[in-house]
Amino acid sequence: MVDGIQRQYASRIESMTSFKVVDFLEAAVKMEAQGRDIVRMEAGEPAFPTAPAIIEAASAALRDEKTFYTPSLGIIELREAIAAFYGTRYGLQIPPHRIVVTTGSSAALGLICDLIINPGDGLQLTDPGYPCNANFVRRAGGEPQLIPVDAYNAYQLTPQAVAEHWRDNTVGVLVASPSNPTGEMLSRDNQRGINAVVASHNGVMIMDELYHGLVYDQCESSILEINNDAMVINSFSKYFGMTGWRLGWMVVPEDALEAVNIMAQNFYISPPSIAQYAALGAFEPATIDLMEARRAEFRQRRDYLVPALRELGFSIPHTPAGAFYIYAGIEKLSADSEAFCWDMLERAGVAFTPGTDFGEHLARQHVRFSYTQPLHRLELAVERLSKALAE
Ligand SMILES: Cc1ncc(COP(=O)(O)O)c(C=O)c1O
């Protein structure tokens, strides 16, 4: 309301869902400002500082005045560095020109949805899943086709589920592995099977590989090993811990490049220049060593937290394979995840996110814990939760 006038904004806004994690984040920040100590397990960002080689690369870029627009698809040095990373990590030869640098993978998700979705088209997504995906689909005029997934299938799609839910207007599938909010992975067999179902419908296979590098008991494989034409999104936010630098990338098939370039030119002009030069430091051996040490630390946190939460009555049918999330059932503790999360924030001083942020399927029975805080803070969270649950 401005000057007493109620403006009418575009109807697409009405169908967009809010990001509940931000409500909890804001409430936690407010309580901290009032002097309360809150263990912050709601947000999905590593609390580690930016790696020294990345800071150094950014400082050098500032000194060298690399502060101008760059090519819309990103600076070539970075596209080459990312392509080389696919060589060392996965043994894949991806030509650098197929790599598109974006303003966070969020921009990549938007570009891909705008590229493949006509008004009325459907895109298959998991429920639960990353909440913004459905809103990118809606922004493009499409219909999010949510497929319920459960613990029995490691909260992932199966080829059967994709085939059963494929409708006349479906144009593709977007899968995240490891997933947010569950940390669970899609097996290589299921990647292959889903890819075959999608190919049989001439659909588009989109894989969100954002949490690659944060996998603890197995080796992750890229969908590009199976399907060279799949669309892959990735980011410097999670494994490289660069959330605020707002830099991601995607790998697209040759025939998509021209359209993606036109959209990137128009919508963003270019990804942030300093962040791109900074990201060159992400591929320095010293940074990779540091990230691998952090990966080991995340694993240690997960291995502490999963049994500790089970002990408190949360149900975690199997240990999540990666990311830094635990998606826990609260059937024994509460009937309503939102009320439960607000109550635990207030009484225990521990912030975590209700399942209702990630979809509708069994969302009131689940919460997401993010283990981005150091181990001693997670221990404090468990101690506080234990006390509050016993009251
Ligand atoms: C599964 C998934 N995809 C995409 C994103 C977007 O991340 P960014 O824009 O920082 O790369 C996130 C952020 O949490 C995520 O969890």
Side-chain angles (χ1 to χ4, degrees), residues 19 44 103-107 109 130 133 176 178-180 208 210-211 233-238 242-243 246-248 325 368:
F19 209 0
T103 307
S105 68
S106 301
L109 281 164
Y130 179 56
N133 290 339
S179 122
N180 177 5
D208 178 331
L210 217 75
Y211 293 95
I233 77 149
N234 210 322
S235 179
F236 288 94
S237 289
K238 310 293 174 165
M242 292 177 69
T243 46
R246 305 310 302 130
L247 209 64
Y325 304 119
R368 185 194 75 176

Side-chain angles (χ1 to χ4, degrees), residues 290-337:
L290 183 61
M291 298 309 147
E292 287 303 307
R294 289 178 179 178
R295 182 207 304 238
E297 195 169 331
F298 277 126
R299 182 201 177 116
Q300 198 192 6
R301 295 176 191 176
R302 179 202 63 171
D303 291 348
Y304 161 71
L305 203 54
V306 169
L309 290 174
R310 281 182 182 142
E311 192 71 22
L312 294 181
F314 291 90
S315 72
I316 307 166
H318 53 87
T319 303
F324 32 65
Y325 304 119
I326 297 170
Y327 197 59
I330 56 163
E331 325 62 77
K332 289 195 217 131
L333 306 170
S334 167
D336 180 354
S337 56

